[in-house]
């Protein structure tokens, strides 16, 4: 069984990856998005848009933003979402923040707006302060409990695989396990992390852990396949 801790906007991606294997995928978003207030003034003197999140893209796309602004997206899924939102020029950054920054360095725009969550693992504006301006367009709020389906899964004899894409989501999930007294039910559970630092501050004893060889969507799918 796969317990998908990602926000609901990413559910289809996970189901598509694992449905063909015959694995059940149970939705368990530990973070829920809430749009943050911002004004069109943020777009003044902007000649490119930068996204490391499909959620940020969705927020921007719901506003009257010119579809002629070139979009620089962190990876193929976000790039596809930008094309679906009718942006005319979309550049796939290669799957990681570091690769995206290299693509940006080679681009000719003057000032790009980096639309992001309040909490980010890598602030692109700090990495390239002369060319990138950051605008927080949404906040991720932590879940307060686990779904009954997830609690039932931990009380079963099933092998469980749980992907984690950020230290924050991992910390929240461990806190929820403790809240529901499930910390001692992890012997059959595997935590799959997009990079090693996601698991640095773990407090519970997991049955297994797996680190993605590449810190991107493909790397995570490969790591989960190995864990299965």
């Amino acid at each position: 069984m796969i317990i998908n801790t990602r926000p609901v906007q990413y559910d289809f991606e996970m189901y598509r990856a694992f449905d063909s294997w015959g694995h059940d995928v149970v939705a368990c978003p530990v973070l829920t998005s809430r749009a943050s207030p911002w004004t069109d003034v943020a777009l003044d003197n902007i000649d490119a848009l930068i996204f490391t999140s499909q959620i940020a893209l969705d927020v921007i796309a719901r506003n009257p933003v010119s579809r002629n602004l070139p979009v620089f997206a962190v990876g193929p899924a976000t790039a596809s979402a930008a094309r679906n939102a009718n942006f005319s020029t979309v550049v796939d950054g290669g799957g990681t923040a570091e690769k995206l920054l290299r693509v940006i360095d080679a681009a000719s725009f003057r000032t790009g707006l980096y639309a992001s969550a309040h909490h980010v693992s890598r602030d692109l504006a700090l990495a390239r302060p002369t060319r990138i301006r950051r605008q927080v367009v949404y906040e991720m709020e932590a879940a307060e409990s686990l779904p009954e389906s997830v609690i039932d899964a931990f009380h079963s004899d099933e092998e469980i695989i749980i992907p984690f894409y950020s230290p924050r989501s991992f910390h929240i999930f461990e806190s929820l396990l403790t809240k529901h007294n499930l910390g001692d039910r992890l012997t059959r559970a595997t935590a799959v992390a997009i990079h090693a630092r996601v698991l640095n501050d773990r407090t519970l004893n997991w049955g297994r852990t797996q680190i993605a060889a590449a810190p991107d969507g493909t790397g995570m799918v490969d790591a989960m396949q190995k864990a299965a």
Side-chain angles (χ1 to χ4, degrees), residues 19-226:
D19 185 58
S20 61
W21 295 3
H23 286 280
D24 291 331
V25 180
V26 177
C28 180
V30 297
L31 292 164
T32 302
S33 62
R34 176 178 58 82
S36 300
W38 64 285
T39 67
D40 292 344
V41 174
L43 294 166
D44 288 354
N45 302 313
I46 291 296
D47 59 342
L49 297 171
I50 301 166
F51 299 103
T52 57
S53 158
Q54 292 179 55
I55 299 173
L57 175 64
D58 290 343
V59 172
I60 293 293
R62 289 197 296 268
N63 289 269
V65 175
S66 172
R67 275 18 184 203
N68 292 322
L69 285 170
V71 167
F72 293 82
V74 69
T78 305
S80 177
R83 296 185 188 99
N84 290 338
N86 297 318
F87 285 97
S88 57
T89 303
V90 179
V91 179
D92 180 344
T96 68
E98 288 301 326
K99 290 179 181 178
L100 176 58
L101 284 170
R102 290 197 290 270
V103 169
I104 288 170
D105 288 342
S108 60
F109 68 82
R110 295 183 303 278
T111 304
L113 182 75
Y114 172 36
S116 76
H118 178 73
H119 296 279
V120 292
S121 57
R122 179 72 188 276
D123 187 341
L124 303 186
L126 291 180
R128 301 292 187 273
T130 61
R131 296 191 67 206
I132 300 176
R133 183 191 309 166
R134 182 181 172 202
Q135 176 65 47
V136 173
V137 297
Y138 72 100
E139 173 67 273
M140 299 302 291
E141 298 179 337
E144 296 183 356
S145 63
L146 294 172
E148 286 297 326
S149 57
V150 172
I151 295 172
D152 290 343
F154 275 101
H155 284 291
S156 74
D157 292 329
E158 287 195 68
E159 295 286 345
I160 298 171
I161 299 171
I162 311 170
F164 296 100
Y165 290 77
S166 72
R168 187 184 180 203
S169 63
F170 181 74
H171 173 73
I172 292 169
F173 192 79
E174 281 206 326
S175 297
L176 293 174
L177 289 174
T178 300
K179 178 179 180 179
H180 290 282
N181 299 312
L182 295 171
D184 61 349
R185 308 290 301 183
L186 287 172
T187 56
R188 303 179 73 87
T190 302
V192 179
I194 195 166
H195 46 69
R197 69 176 180 272
V198 167
L199 308 179
N200 280 351
D201 297 323
R202 64 181 181 270
T203 60
L204 302 177
N205 294 318
W206 290 75
R208 293 187 300 161
T209 59
Q210 182 85 31
I211 309 299
D216 54 25
T218 300
M220 282 294 282
V221 171
D222 289 344
M224 292 171 71
Q225 288 176 336
K226 291 177 182 176

